[in-house]
Amino acid sequence: MGLLSDPTRRRALISLLTRLNTPICAVCYMAGVAWFMGLAFEPFTLRMHMSENAMGSTMVEERFQAGERALVTAKEFGVQKNKAGGMPVDWLVKAMQDRGLEVFTQSFSRTLPFPDENKERFMVKGTNVYGILRAPRAPRTEALMLTAPCSQGNDNNQAVGMLLVLAQYFRSQVYWAKDIIFLVNEHDLIGMQAWLEGYHHTNITGMEWSPLQGRAGAIQAALSLELSSDVVTSLDIVLEGLNGQLPNLDLVNLFYAFCQKFDVLCTFQGKLQRNDWDSPSGYSHAVQTMMLMVLKQASGHSWGDHGLFLRYQVEAVTIKGINSYRQYKTTTTTVGRLLEGMYRKLNNLLERLHQSFFFYLLPSLSHFVSISYYMPAFGLLAAILLLRALNLWVELSAPPATEDGVANVEQSSSGVLSVVTPLVISHLTGVALYTLPVHFQEMAVEHFPVSETEAVVLTAIAVYTAGLALPHNTHRFVSGEGTEQGWRVLKLVAVLYLAVLLGCTALLNFSLGFILALTLVPVAAGVTPHMPKFPTACVMVVLSPACTLLFSVFAFHELQETPLSFQDTWLLFLSVISQGILDHALYGALVFPLLAMLVYPCWLLFWNILFWK
Amino acid sequence: MIVTPPRLSHTKKKMVLHRCGVTVALLVLISLSVIVVASRQESTLNNGRHDFQEELVISPLQSGDIYASFQFRTLWEADFFGGNKVSHYRLFPKSLGQVISKFSVRELHISLTQGYWRTMQWGQPYQPSPPGAELWVWFQDSVTDVDGTWSELTNVLSGIFCASLNFDSINSIQPSASFKPLGIGNVTDHRFLRYATLPRETVCTENLTPWKKLLPCGSKAGLAVLLKSEKLFHSSFHSQAVHIRPVCQDAQCATTSWELRQTLNVVFDLYVSGQGKREWSLFKMFSRTLTEACPLASSSKIYVDVSDNSEGEDFVLSPATPLLRQAVVLGDRRTFSVYDLTQKSTFGTTSSLNLLIRWKSSDAHMLRPLLHAERYVAGYRLQSGEIHTLMYNNHPYRSFPVLLLDLVPWYLRLYIHTLSVTSKGKTNRPSYIHYEPSKDRVKPHTLEMLVQLPPNSVTEVTVHFDRILLKWTEYPPDPNHGFYVGSSVVSSLVPSIVAMDTNATHECPLFNSFFPSKEETSYFVRLYTEPLLVNLPTPDFSMPYNVICLTCTVVAVGYGSLFNLLTRNFQIGEPRPGVAKRIANVIRKMRGVPPL
C-alpha cells in the first residue's frame, strides 16, 4: 500500500504497466492457457480421498444375490411396457406393493414451447410411479433415492428390474435409518422435473403435475440408474448437472471405492483409468478426460436424471452400465452388490454430504483438481481485462491535463451518451435474441417451408446475424462523429463489464467462464477502430459466442473419438441451439439467457468499437 | 376419626330412593360408610389401597404387520399434598411418587417413541405419541413459579428415564386447548400446563430398563417377561409412555386415587421380523412365551383383536379361547378373544402360553382412516420455505372440527399473515386461532387453531417462514444435519364408525335401530404428523482457523491501509533538507537573511 500512497513510485508502476501492457497481457494469456493444460498433469492434481467419516471403512459384507432375478424382472417389465405402449403403471404399482413398499403415482403434463426433434415429443403426458421403503423406527425425516427412467423402446429395462429387485432385498433388511424412495420416471428429465417440483412443492418451470401423496422428508442423496443390456462390461459415472452444478465429490469417491472393491471397471466420460501418468500418452488421456468434463459442464445441460436434483441440494449422480463388448464382464449380482454397498454407506450419513468438494475437475476418477488449483488459470485470463482497463483509464485521464477544462466537460457529456446508446441497443438486440425465436415460430412456419424447431433455430441465427449489422453506427445518430475519447470510454466500460460478467460466470460454472474467457478476452483486449476492418471482423466473428459453441461441439466429438464431418457438425450445432432453448424452458437452465442477454451484447460492444467512425 | 358419608350424585341418590325406599336407602348409606371406614382403616395401615392390572392387546394388522400394546396400571389411594409426608410405598414406584409431591404435579404424561406411526397402514393406535420424546405436565394451582418447577422437573425426569429432556421456556409452550387434563379436576387454566417435544431423541434399551423397573414385578413375572430389548428394538415402531393422573376411586367419585399407567406399543414388521411369512406367535415376536401372571396383579389378560375374523376366514388363532369380549374402541365395534392369565387353564398342558396367529389370505391394502394428517416443508432455497400441513377427512358425509397445534422453534421465523387454510379450493376460516409469536432465543411460536374439516376433503394449512442465520455458537455440533421441528398435533372428535354404520341395523331389534347414534357418536383422536428436518444456512465450519486467520489478515492489512489511503489528504512535500543546510539556515536566520 505504501506503493500506492507514494506518488513517484505509483507513477513508475503505472508507466511500467502501460508501457509493457501488451506483452504482459500476452504472457498472462499464455500462462492462463498453459496453467489450464497443466491441470491434468499429476503434480497439480490431488488423490481422491473420502472426507466424510460416516462413509469411511465399515466391516460390511454385501449379500445381494438376486442378479439373475433382476434380469427376469427386467424382461417381464419389457413385456409389460410393450403391452402398455409406454409406462406400465398398474403393473409397476402392483410390483412395488408386492415388495412391501408404500406406492404412489404422480401424473404430469407439459407442452413444450416447440417440438423437440431429438426426442420426438411436443405434448408430453406421463405418470411417475414411486414406492417408499419406510425405514423401521425412523420418523420420516430423511430419505435416500434410487431412480430409473422408463425410456422408450427396450432401453433401460434392466435398470427398472434392478430397482425392483433391490427394493425387495432392501425391504427385508433391518438396518435402514433413512427411508428409501424408488422412483420410475417417465419421459426422463421431464418426469424427473415434475416429480422434484411436486416433492418440494415448487413450480419453477410452469409444468402441470398432480400433488404427491407420500413423502419421506429431506432427501440426502440420490442415484439414477441406467442399464440397457444384460451384460455389463463397465460402469460409467455421470456428474455434470444442470447449470454445471456438480455433486459432492464424496459421492464420486464412494462409487470409485466400491468399483475397486468389486473389481468393476469404471469409466468417467467413457474413458478408463490409466496408471501411466508420466508418459505423454497418459497425460494426453487425462487432458482429454478433463476437457470432456469441461465441455459438458460448460453446456449447462443435465447429462442424466441426477442433474436436476442438484438444484434442490440433493447430491446425485447417474450410474450407467456400459456394454462395450470387452472380454471382462461384470455380473448383474456384482452391480447389485455395488449399489447395496453404496446405499448402506449413504445410510450411515449423519449429516448431509458436505465434507468434500463441490467445485472440482476430474482428469480421472482417481485424481481431482480442486478449485484452488484451477481458479488461477481463469484469474490469469481475467487479469488481462483489468490490465487493459487500467491502460485505457490512464490513456483517458492523461489528455485532459493538457487541455482546458471547458472542452473536457463537453467531451465527457458526449462520452456518456456515446457509451449509453450502444449499451442499450446491443442489450435490446440480446433481448430480441432471447425472445423472438420462440415467439415468432408460428409466423416463421407460415412464411417459410420449415418445421417449428427449424424455425426457432433459424430465427435465432437470423437475429444473431442481424445484430452484427445493426448497432455499430448508432452512436452517430446521437452525438455525430465518434471521437477518439468516445471509443476509449466505451471500450473501458465494455472491458470492465466483460470482466464482471466472466468473473461471476466462472464462480458459478468455471468451465463456461473459462471457455468464454478463452475466446472473448483476446477480442476484448485487442480490438480498436484503427485496425484493418475486414480481417479483424473475420477474426471477431470466429471468436464470437456462436462460433465458440460451434467449435465446442466439434471439439467434444473429437475428444469422444466420434469425429464428425463439417456437415454433421453444423446439423448438430443447430440441434444444440434448440436443445439449449428447450433446456431453459423445461428445466430452467441458464446458459441460453446468459449467452443471449449478457455475453452476446457484450461482444456486440466490441464489434461496435471496431466499426467506430 | 370423622367419617364423611360418600357424596352420591343427585341422580344416583334419586334412583336409589325410587327403588328401595327411604329406609333401605339409609341402610345402604350406612353400610357404604361402614365399608369406607373399613377400607380407610385398612388404608391407613398400608397407606392407601393398591391395585395393579396388566394387559396386552394384540392386533393383527391388514398389512401383515402385528401390533402389540401393553398396559400396566397401578392405582394408589394416596394424598401427596395432604400435609403428612408419604413415605411408605408398595406397588407405586417411589421415584415417581416423590416427583409428584416435590413438584406438585397434577398430571404427567411422558412418551418416548422410536419411529412414526403409519396411520395409512395400521389405523389408529390405542395411545398416540409423536416420534422422539413428548412431555406434558399439569401442575397444581399452588405452584407459583411454573417455569422454574418445569425445568427442574424435566431434569429429574431425564434422570429417571435416562433421556436428554432439556426443556425450558425456549422450547416449551402452553397450549390453550389441545391438551386438557385427562384426570379429574376442574382447573383448566393453561398457565399450569407445559408442553414440549424432542423429535430427535433416540429411544433404546437404556430408556426401557428404567421404565421396566417401575413395574411391581419388574421384568421377572407376568406380561413384562416379554419385554426383551433385543426383539422390541427390531421392530417398525416402538413407543413407551408413562401417564400419571388423579382418577376416581369408584363410581361415586368420593375419593380420588393416583393412577400410574405404563404403556408400551410395538409394531413388528412383516418383512423384517416376520421373514415375509404371515404367521405370528408370542415367541416369534418376543422370543419368549408366557408361563404366569404377575402375582401382584389383580387382573392379567391378553386380548386378541378378532373383529375382522369373526368366522375365522382371515386367520387362525391358537390356542382357541371361548372368552370373547366386545367393546367400542376408537368408534368401531371390535371383538376380542380374551386370555386370562390368572387362570391356570389358560396355559394348558405345557404350562406355557404361546399365542399363534396364522393368516390364510395375504392381500394387504392401504386403509382409509377417517382422519389423517401429514406435513412437509416446501421450497428448496436456504432463505425461506413454507410449512404445509394436510388434514384428510375421509368421512363420506360428515364434517367435524379439529384442533391443530404447531410448535415451531424461534429460528424459523413464521409470517403469520401468510397463514392460509384451504379446503376444496376455498378458504376455510378457522373459528379459533391462538397464536403466540416467538421471541428470538426466548420462546418458540405457538400456533393453535380450530378448523372445520368438510366431508371427504383435504384441508391444507400453509405458512411461510424465513430461515435464520444463527450465531456461530448456536449451531449444534452437526449443523449440516438440519434442525428438527416437532410434530404438529391434531386433536379431534371424529364421528364414530358405529354411528355411521347402517348395515348392522338388521341384527338389532327394530325398536333399537331408528336413530343411528345409539352409542357414542364420536370419539377422541389425537394424531401426530411427521417431524420436519429443516436446513438452515450453515457457514462452513470445516476450516475455522484458516477462515479466522484470513479474515483477520484481510481486515488488518487490506482494510486498514485502504482506509488510510481514502481518508488521507495527499500533498507533495519537499524533501527534508540535509543537516548542513539546516545548520546554515539557522545561522542565516540569526543573521536576518532569508533561508536557502
Side-chain angles (χ1 to χ4, degrees):
Chain A
M1 287 295 153
L3 200 62
L4 290 179
S5 53
D6 181 349
T8 48
R9 273 190 283 177
R10 179 163 54 168
R11 216 172 290 134
L13 181 73
I14 288 171
S15 74
L16 184 78
L17 282 179
T18 43
R19 230 170 344 111
L20 295 178
N21 200 284
T22 316
I24 293 177
C25 287
V27 167
C28 275
Y29 190 80
M30 284 186 287
V33 174
W35 188 294
F36 179 74
M37 298 308 283
L39 289 177
F41 189 50
E42 202 198 350
F44 266 117
T45 59
L46 298 168
R47 273 203 154 274
M48 284 284 210
H49 54 270
M50 193 73 82
S51 306
E52 174 64 59
N53 282 330
M55 295 202 304
S57 66
T58 44
M59 305 287 214
V60 171
E61 197 184 322
E62 288 78 16
R63 291 169 191 277
F64 179 77
Q65 297 284 357
E68 289 303 312
R69 209 189 309 154
L71 296 180
V72 173
T73 317
K75 287 214 175 62
E76 202 180 328
F77 173 73
V79 170
Q80 295 291 337
K81 190 159 87 174
N82 289 337
K83 207 193 281 176
M87 180 109 151
V89 175
D90 296 332
W91 183 83
L92 266 176
V93 169
K94 181 84 176 50
M96 286 190 181
Q97 267 169 356
D98 289 347
R99 286 164 173 82
L101 306 183
E102 274 180 37
V103 191
F104 307 93
T105 57
Q106 181 204 28
S107 55
F108 58 91
S109 68
R110 173 80 216 231
T111 307
L112 273 53
F114 56 90
D116 182 356
E117 289 193 343
N118 288 352
K119 297 200 166 152
E120 292 173 352
R121 56 191 182 189
F122 178 50
M123 286 165 81
V124 181
K125 267 199 171 72
T127 313
N128 293 325
V129 179
Y130 66 103
I132 304 178
L133 190 167
R134 296 292 182 194
R137 299 184 312 285
R140 298 191 177 179
T141 48
E142 291 175 284
L144 301 174
M145 224 179 141
L146 178 62
T147 76
C150 171
S151 318
Q152 286 163 344
N154 272 334
D155 285 356
N156 236 7
N157 289 352
Q158 281 78 1
V160 179
M162 176 61 84
L163 175 131
L164 288 174
V165 171
L166 273 179
Q168 184 171 10
Y169 173 71
F170 285 174
R171 182 65 179 83
S172 55
Q173 305 305 315
V174 75
Y175 43 67
W176 298 115
K178 299 173 172 57
D179 292 2
I180 304 179
I181 306 174
F182 296 91
L183 167 70
V184 180
N185 53 315
E186 204 177 358
H187 300 298
D188 47 68
L189 286 171
I190 296 183
M192 198 73 248
Q193 179 73 21
W195 192 87
L196 282 168
E197 287 190 6
Y199 195 86
H200 294 96
H201 203 107
T202 54
N203 204 333
I204 309 166
T205 57
M207 194 185 296
E208 282 168 29
W209 36 260
S210 61
L212 298 191
Q213 299 289 318
R215 284 186 171 76
I219 304 171
Q220 305 289 310
L223 296 186
S224 173
L225 194 60
E226 291 181 19
L227 297 174
S228 296
S229 66
D230 288 359
V231 180
V232 173
T233 53
S234 60
L235 291 178
D236 190 58
I237 184 164
V238 186
L239 307 178
E240 300 82 5
L242 195 71
N243 294 326
Q245 273 188 289
L246 297 171
N248 194 282
L249 194 60
D250 265 344
L251 204 56
V252 187
N253 291 336
L254 188 67
F255 170 76
Y256 183 60
F258 273 100
C259 281
Q260 288 196 312
K261 179 174 177 184
F262 291 106
D263 277 335
V264 176
L265 286 181
C266 53
T267 59
F268 179 60
Q269 314 294 359
K271 294 190 186 292
L272 278 174
Q273 315 305 307
R274 285 172 65 148
N275 293 324
D276 53 339
W277 282 79
D278 310 336
S279 70
S281 67
Y283 168 73
S284 84
H285 185 86
V287 168
Q288 283 176 23
T289 315
M290 191 179 75
M291 287 300 293
L292 274 172
M293 179 173 179
V294 166
L295 287 171
K296 278 165 101 176
Q297 196 190 5
S299 72
H301 177 66
S302 172
W303 290 82
D305 282 355
H306 73 280
L308 301 177
F309 281 92
L310 301 171
R311 189 211 303 263
Y312 299 91
Q313 293 178 295
V314 178
E315 305 312 314
V317 293
T318 295
I319 294 176
K320 270 186 183 161
I322 307 279
N323 182 11
S324 56
Y325 307 100
R326 253 184 257 267
Q327 203 65 38
Y328 189 88
K329 290 189 175 42
T330 304
T331 61
T332 327
T333 308
T334 316
V335 177
R337 283 193 183 179
L338 185 136
L339 291 171
E340 182 199 349
M342 286 182 77
Y343 272 90
R344 289 192 68 173
K345 288 271 180 113
L346 290 172
N347 182 48
N348 290 346
L349 280 181
L350 296 174
E351 302 180 31
R352 274 172 184 278
L353 283 170
H354 74 283
Q355 300 273 15
S356 195
F357 291 87
F358 286 96
F359 297 95
Y360 51 86
L361 293 177
L362 295 183
S364 91
L365 270 183
S366 56
H367 288 73
F368 72 98
V369 183
S370 85
I371 183 166
S372 56
Y373 285 79
Y374 69 60
M375 245 2 200
F378 174 79
L380 285 167
L381 295 190
I384 296 171
L385 295 177
L386 298 182
L387 284 172
R388 286 321 262 188
L390 181 76
N391 195 19
L392 284 167
W393 179 253
V394 171
E395 280 177 20
L396 278 173
S397 56
T402 56
E403 290 174 21
D404 56 73
V406 186
N408 192 13
V409 172
E410 272 174 20
Q411 271 195 342
S412 71
S413 67
S414 74
V416 167
L417 271 177
S418 67
V419 168
V420 170
T421 328
L423 264 178
V424 169
I425 289 177
S426 59
H427 278 89
L428 286 179
T429 319
V431 172
L433 177 60
Y434 175 67
T435 49
L436 291 187
V438 176
H439 286 121
F440 277 74
Q441 49 169 318
E442 279 170 24
M443 200 196 280
V445 169
E446 262 176 40
H447 291 91
F448 300 99
V450 287
S451 71
E452 275 97 344
T453 320
E454 284 169 336
V456 169
V457 176
L458 294 178
T459 318
I461 295 177
V463 174
Y464 189 89
T465 331
L468 302 189
L470 187 69
H472 61 263
N473 284 332
T474 46
H475 60 90
R476 277 196 288 179
F477 297 112
V478 186
S479 53
E481 283 295 297
T483 56
E484 273 300 290
Q485 193 87 359
W487 75 261
R488 288 216 167 89
V489 173
L490 179 60
K491 187 171 172 184
L492 177 64
V493 171
V495 163
L496 288 176
Y497 180 29
L498 185 66
V500 171
L501 186 60
L502 291 181
C504 294
T505 312
L507 283 181
L508 300 170
N509 183 346
F510 165 76
S511 302
L512 184 60
F514 187 77
I515 289 179
L516 287 176
L518 267 187
T519 52
L520 289 179
V521 164
V523 171
V527 71
T528 60
H530 308 302
M531 299 169 100
K533 293 282 181 289
F534 185 70
T536 321
C538 285
V539 171
M540 275 195 73
V541 168
V542 166
L543 293 178
S544 79
C547 288
T548 311
L549 180 61
L550 184 68
F551 299 143
S552 301
V553 170
F554 183 74
F556 181 68
H557 284 270
E558 281 296 320
L559 289 166
Q560 273 199 324
E561 290 156 19
T562 52
L564 293 172
S565 65
F566 183 75
Q567 182 90 28
D568 291 340
T569 313
W570 176 252
L571 288 177
L572 202 63
F573 170 68
L574 297 184
S575 91
V576 162
I577 293 175
S578 72
Q579 201 60 50
I581 299 174
L582 273 180
D583 269 1
H584 173 59
L586 291 180
Y587 321 116
L590 292 173
V591 174
F592 172 60
L594 176 83
L595 289 182
M597 293 204 286
L598 294 172
V599 177
Y600 172 63
C602 191
W603 179 84
L604 276 184
L605 290 179
F606 294 111
W607 184 257
N608 202 344
I609 290 163
L610 177 65
F611 290 98
W612 192 273
K613 280 178 187 150
Chain B
M1 176 184 280
I2 301 159
V3 179
T4 49
R7 284 176 292 138
L8 283 172
S9 68
H10 191 65
T11 47
K12 190 95 181 172
K13 199 186 257 174
K14 216 174 194 176
M15 208 172 69
V16 171
L17 289 176
H18 273 276
R19 262 190 208 155
C20 317
V22 182
T23 43
V24 183
L26 271 176
L27 271 175
V28 167
L29 273 179
I30 291 161
S31 61
L32 266 178
S33 50
V34 168
I35 292 168
V36 170
V37 171
S39 65
R40 279 277 165 117
Q41 276 167 346
E42 188 197 30
S43 71
T44 41
L45 287 174
N46 296 335
N47 196 6
R49 277 190 302 186
H50 292 272
D51 182 46
F52 174 66
Q53 295 180 347
E54 56 180 10
E55 191 179 291
L56 164 63
V57 184
I58 296 175
S59 304
L61 301 170
Q62 279 297 326
S63 60
D65 303 341
I66 195 154
Y67 171 34
S69 171
F70 291 85
Q71 285 221 28
F72 302 91
R73 189 176 78 152
T74 314
L75 279 174
W76 187 25
E77 190 192 320
D79 188 6
F80 288 112
F81 311 111
N84 45 347
K85 211 174 155 204
V86 180
S87 57
H88 185 72
Y89 289 82
R90 238 186 93 214
L91 297 181
F92 202 91
K94 189 173 179 181
S95 54
L96 291 182
Q98 286 177 335
V99 165
I100 296 173
S101 57
K102 168 119 203 281
F103 299 106
S104 302
V105 171
R106 193 148 68 87
E107 238 178 65
L108 185 152
H109 304 268
I110 179 171
S111 74
L112 296 166
T113 307
Q114 186 75 355
Y116 180 71
W117 183 268
R118 305 171 197 170
T119 318
M120 291 295 274
Q121 283 173 309
W122 300 337
Q124 296 291 347
Y126 297 120
Q127 291 94 22
S129 58
E134 184 199 42
L135 176 64
W136 55 287
V137 175
W138 278 93
F139 291 98
Q140 301 283 349
D141 47 9
S142 56
V143 177
T144 47
D145 176 20
V146 181
D147 280 324
T149 320
W150 163 250
S151 126
E152 262 183 72
L153 169 67
T154 55
N155 285 330
V156 169
L157 287 175
S158 305
I160 294 178
F161 294 105
C162 210
S164 47
L165 317 167
N166 39 4
F167 295 139
D168 45 29
S169 59
I170 299 177
N171 46 20
S172 320
I173 54 167
Q174 307 165 30
S176 64
S178 291
F179 288 91
K180 287 294 168 200
L182 297 180
I184 55 167
N186 48 12
V187 178
T188 52
D189 183 351
H190 63 266
R191 278 187 299 127
F192 299 105
L193 170 65
R194 288 293 180 278
Y195 173 83
T197 58
L198 197 61
R200 205 185 173 175
E201 180 73 6
T202 317
V203 183
C204 204
T205 15
E206 78 269 17
N207 308 103
L208 182 67
T209 313
W211 184 89
K212 281 198 289 192
K213 281 188 177 158
L214 300 176
L215 294 171
C217 290
S219 51
K220 299 283 187 296
L223 291 173
V225 169
L226 301 177
L227 303 175
K228 291 289 169 201
S229 50
E230 84 263 21
K231 280 289 182 183
L232 284 185
F233 293 104
H234 256 197
S235 56
S236 293
F237 176 83
H238 170 95
S239 165
Q240 58 189 63
V242 169
H243 305 279
I244 299 173
R245 60 177 179 177
V247 292
C248 291
Q249 180 73 288
D250 44 31
Q252 287 82 20
C253 214
T255 53
T256 60
S257 51
W258 287 92
E259 182 196 66
L260 164 68
R261 235 179 232 257
Q262 286 178 258
T263 65
L264 190 143
N265 294 292
V266 61
V267 177
F268 292 100
D269 188 84
L270 169 69
Y271 293 90
V272 177
S273 311
Q275 286 102 38
K277 271 189 238 155
R278 291 182 152 241
E279 186 184 307
W280 293 103
S281 65
L282 283 187
F283 189 77
K284 192 172 174 184
M285 288 189 267
F286 303 105
S287 74
R288 292 286 186 288
T289 54
L290 285 172
T291 50
E292 56 171 345
C294 171
L296 297 171
S298 62
S299 135
S300 175
K301 289 196 174 94
I302 297 181
Y303 297 87
V304 182
D305 189 344
V306 292
S307 341
D308 304 328
N309 190 40
S310 48
E311 275 102 44
E313 68 271 22
D314 274 356
F315 56 82
V316 182
L317 179 65
S318 70
T321 173
L323 277 174
L324 285 179
R325 191 187 164 96
Q326 289 220 335
V328 175
V329 184
L330 296 169
D332 195 5
R333 194 180 289 110
R334 316 292 295 177
T335 316
F336 296 92
S337 291
V338 186
Y339 296 84
D340 190 347
L341 300 186
T342 49
Q343 307 288 319
K344 200 86 186 144
S345 59
T346 310
F347 297 101
T349 48
T350 54
S351 73
S352 88
L353 178 66
N354 183 23
L355 279 176
L356 184 73
I357 296 163
R358 190 179 286 126
W359 285 80
K360 290 175 177 170
S361 60
S362 65
D363 54 324
H365 54 83
M366 295 280 248
L367 300 172
R368 262 172 70 86
L370 287 183
L371 170 68
H372 87 101
E374 59 188 49
R375 194 159 69 134
Y376 60 91
V377 176
Y380 59 95
R381 295 201 182 91
L382 280 179
Q383 191 200 347
S384 60
E386 205 172 28
I387 297 180
H388 285 239
T389 311
L390 300 175
M391 291 180 287
Y392 294 79
N393 174 3
N394 288 329
H395 199 288
Y397 54 84
R398 282 194 58 182
S399 69
F400 52 83
V402 297
L403 256 176
L404 176 72
L405 168 69
D406 261 326
L407 189 174
V408 182
W410 61 266
Y411 39 79
L412 302 188
R413 206 162 268 159
L414 289 189
Y415 289 112
I416 202 70
H417 72 277
T418 60
L419 179 75
S420 82
V421 184
T422 48
S423 339
K424 293 183 169 175
K426 273 182 271 174
T427 308
N428 183 349
R429 288 191 77 83
S431 47
Y432 164 76
I433 292 188
H434 168 224
Y435 174 65
E436 278 181 41
S438 73
K439 264 189 206 159
D440 282 4
R441 298 169 184 91
V442 176
K443 69 171 191 175
H445 303 267
T446 315
L447 177 59
E448 210 171 8
M449 58 179 122
L450 187 68
V451 188
Q452 188 80 13
L453 303 187
N456 210 357
S457 69
V458 187
T459 303
E460 187 167 18
V461 180
T462 61
V463 61
H464 282 273
F465 66 86
D466 268 359
R467 301 164 202 246
I468 286 183
L469 185 66
L470 298 176
K471 291 179 184 169
W472 69 279
T473 45
E474 285 168 343
Y475 284 94
D478 52 351
N480 283 289
H481 178 73
F483 291 75
Y484 282 90
V485 179
S487 312
S488 34
V489 188
V490 179
S491 320
S492 173
L493 284 175
V494 177
S496 167
I497 301 168
V498 176
M500 114 192 185
D501 187 12
T502 46
N503 289 340
T505 44
H506 60 270
E507 289 170 12
C508 303
L510 291 177
F511 64 85
N512 197 16
S513 59
F514 183 64
F515 293 108
S517 52
K518 55 194 175 296
E519 286 174 71
E520 280 185 89
T521 50
S522 54
Y523 60 100
F524 180 76
V525 167
R526 181 168 287 151
L527 283 180
Y528 293 93
T529 63
E530 301 94 328
L532 303 174
L533 184 62
V534 182
N535 269 6
L536 295 187
T538 310
D540 185 3
F541 289 109
S542 58
M543 289 186 285
Y545 181 73
N546 291 2
V547 171
I548 290 167
C549 287
L550 195 71
T551 321
C552 291
T553 316
V554 167
V555 168
V557 177
Y559 175 76
S561 40
L562 201 67
F563 183 74
N564 192 5
L565 273 181
L566 287 173
T567 50
R568 207 144 42 141
N569 195 8
F570 288 101
Q571 282 174 341
I572 299 172
E574 285 296 313
R576 210 174 147 83
V579 182
K581 205 172 182 181
R582 267 189 283 169
I583 295 169
N585 273 343
V586 170
I587 296 167
R588 283 172 81 100
K589 201 176 176 184
M590 290 194 324
R591 278 172 56 203
V593 190
L596 284 172

